[in-house]
Amino acid sequence: MSDRRTDPTFGMCRALADGADLSSFAGGPFDVRAVVAGLRIEAKNGFLLDEVPWQSFPQGGRVREAVHLLRTGAPAGRSGAGVVGGMCADDMRAAAALAVPFLIRIAADTRHPHRANALAEASSPARARHFGIATRDALLLHRAATPYDDIDDYDEYGVEVTGYPAGWSVAAARAAITADTALLQLLLDDPDPTIRIDAAYALATATDRSLAIRSAFRTRLAAEPDLFVRAALVLAVAEYTRAHPHPPTTAWMRERWEDRTAAPEVRLAAAIGWLCLTDDAAPDDLRATVEALATDDRAHAMEVLSWMAFAGGSGETGLARCVRKMLHPEQPDPDEDPWAPHR
């Protein structure tokens, strides 16, 4: 990894550490939100990577190369997979956010051999500090896009390991996803269930406050044959509603976990979603439903859902961790071991 002090943004980050006002840099060349907003549609559609100021952000050259390799579709392109997600796991999202429009377009190409890899990467920069998070108040928590002229601190996301404002990176990635919701909504009908799950996971971070995205989730849910995709769509509705409150949807979520004719995976997703959308005490019937349905086998099977995969940790599956954190908060965490296999 190159010395971060050679990144053009280092001067900004150093100035911020020395007490400079963050808002003085808003909208400038090192504000990744402004850069993403300024990308021409022709540059995105034509993969004109040289129009993107990758080098202005930490590890930008590495991200550009990853996008290029993925775009080629050649076997060597597989080496580009995992770069964006890996950087986000390392708490560096600014340059990764620049890749989002291109990753979505690779995913939308039904003939592209690496489309699933690209889509799996696309939403990584749009979430921060979500590994091992499984509490009611934090699992599906979003922050809305922050206007350039309304910043007086780092916000709740703080800074990345490079010193870059993490909230700016997340907001840029979510804005990029929002700009391409039409492409992602098409992927909700893709023949590949993995693509449908990851499309829902990405769309759940969109900042569009219209009813179109919520309606798209529910429309697809009505036609969806795969039970894990149905569970993903329910969690996507919940996450989107957490960011854009809609009381009728909260009531709808309760109806889903109460529905005894629904698949157990769907009922569990709805129960988790409902718990995250309300401060009400968990009803006895919800507790009974979850305790009966949340078997070890089902918990492991539900790891195909990114929400669950990322919620787990210390040997716990995501579902088990959610059940413990949401319904039994008095129980202590297991010994922290990030490399422990899920039991």
Side-chain angles (χ1 to χ4, degrees):
M1 183 177 293
S2 63
D3 188 338
R4 67 183 181 87
R5 290 173 296 183
T6 64
D7 292 315
T9 53
F10 178 74
M12 181 190 83
C13 296
R14 178 62 181 271
L16 293 172
D18 289 341
D21 187 349
L22 179 61
S23 64
S24 65
F25 295 98
F30 304 132
D31 183 345
V32 70
R33 302 166 306 159
V35 173
V36 166
L39 291 178
R40 298 187 308 125
I41 187 66
E42 294 83 4
K44 293 187 283 189
N45 290 340
F47 284 81
L48 305 180
L49 301 184
D50 288 341
E51 288 197 17
V52 182
W54 306 96
Q55 300 296 342
S56 293
F57 300 93
Q59 298 295 304
R62 183 181 173 209
V63 176
R64 184 200 184 284
E65 180 64 14
V67 172
H68 170 71
L69 287 172
L70 275 171
R71 201 306 176 86
T72 64
R78 294 183 186 278
S79 62
V83 169
V84 169
M87 286 184 59
C88 293
D90 289 338
D91 200 20
M92 291 188 292
R93 298 174 189 83
L98 297 174
V100 172
F102 303 106
L103 295 173
I104 291 173
R105 281 159 177 76
I106 292 171
D109 182 353
T110 58
R111 297 170 296 180
H112 200 288
H114 304 319
R115 61 193 299 256
N117 299 109
L119 185 57
E121 299 269 279
S123 61
S124 294
R127 293 177 173 87
R129 297 181 182 173
H130 62 292
F131 299 105
I133 302 299
T135 59
R136 292 180 67 173
D137 62 338
L139 176 65
L140 303 179
L141 184 63
H142 269 207
R143 85 167 182 82
T146 303
Y148 297 160
D149 59 356
D150 188 25
I151 306 169
D152 58 11
D153 205 343
Y154 282 118
D155 71 41
E156 66 270 27
Y157 282 143
V159 297
E160 299 177 0
V161 295
T162 61
Y164 192 81
W168 283 13
S169 301
V170 173
R174 289 181 181 164
I177 286 170
T178 303
D180 284 328
T181 54
L183 290 175
L184 289 166
Q185 285 182 45
L186 289 175
L187 295 180
L188 290 177
D189 296 323
D190 195 87
D192 184 344
T194 299
I195 293 288
R196 299 199 297 276
I197 288 172
D198 286 342
Y201 190 60
L203 276 168
T205 66
T207 59
D208 183 358
R209 294 178 181 274
S210 73
L211 296 178
I213 294 174
R214 187 182 289 110
S215 296
F217 289 145
R218 292 180 60 170
T219 298
R220 180 63 220 177
L221 181 62
E224 179 55 55
D226 186 284
L227 66 88
F228 291 109
V229 181
R230 294 204 300 274
L233 289 163
V234 169
L235 286 169
V237 169
E239 183 172 2
Y240 184 78
T241 303
R242 180 72 190 270
H244 312 292
H246 187 246
T249 298
T250 302
W252 175 87
M253 196 70 60
R254 178 165 188 155
E255 293 170 0
R256 300 285 73 73
W257 64 256
E258 290 179 330
D259 183 2
R260 294 178 179 273
T261 67
E265 292 78 5
V266 175
R267 296 183 70 190
L268 286 166
I272 290 169
W274 184 85
L275 287 168
C276 292
L277 292 177
T278 178
D279 293 329
D280 295 349
D284 289 342
D285 52 345
L286 181 146
R287 290 178 178 273
T289 295
V290 170
E291 297 292 353
L293 299 180
T295 64
D296 287 344
D297 287 347
R298 189 163 287 128
H300 281 89
M302 289 182 71
E303 292 290 286
V304 299
L305 307 178
S306 296
W307 293 270
M308 295 296 97
F310 289 124
S314 301
E316 285 184 302
T317 60
L319 179 60
R321 196 176 186 93
C322 286
V323 172
R324 179 173 61 81
K325 288 284 192 179
M326 295 183 185
L327 299 182
H328 307 286
E330 74 285 354
Q331 294 182 2
D333 289 336
D335 293 335
E336 292 298 330
D337 179 2
W339 305 113
H342 289 165
R343 292 187 293 270

